[in-house]
Amino acid sequence: GADGSLPVRLTTNDDLDDWPVWSPDSTHLVFQGDQDSDLELYSIAAGGGPLKRLTESPGEDAEPAWG
């Protein structure tokens, strides 16, 4: 849950996916991930599912936040 109860791993990239931030409605998480040797931002539904890549740039994209 958004309160930290009942944690469930949503990604398989262990130490390379981090800095998760809940969406305001607690239905999604945005996080920084290194899926292909380049740090980008991704989102995923709180219940799991496919990753959605949010950025695609040659530089590192880090420290996500909801606007």
Side-chain angles (χ1 to χ4, degrees):
D3 63 356
S5 62
L6 301 171
V8 174
R9 177 170 292 284
L10 299 176
T11 68
T12 59
N13 218 5
D14 294 337
D15 296 333
L16 301 177
D17 293 335
D18 61 1
W19 205 287
V21 180
W22 285 99
S23 64
D25 63 2
S26 300
T27 61
H28 287 79
L29 289 148
V30 65
F31 63 95
Q32 62 189 35
D34 187 347
Q35 301 291 318
D36 56 4
S37 299
D38 183 21
L39 196 61
E40 300 289 350
L41 300 182
Y42 296 85
S43 70
I44 191 168
L51 297 179
K52 179 178 180 183
R53 188 174 185 161
L54 302 175
T55 61
E56 191 166 340
S57 65
E60 291 188 347
D61 296 306
E63 300 181 18
W66 292 91

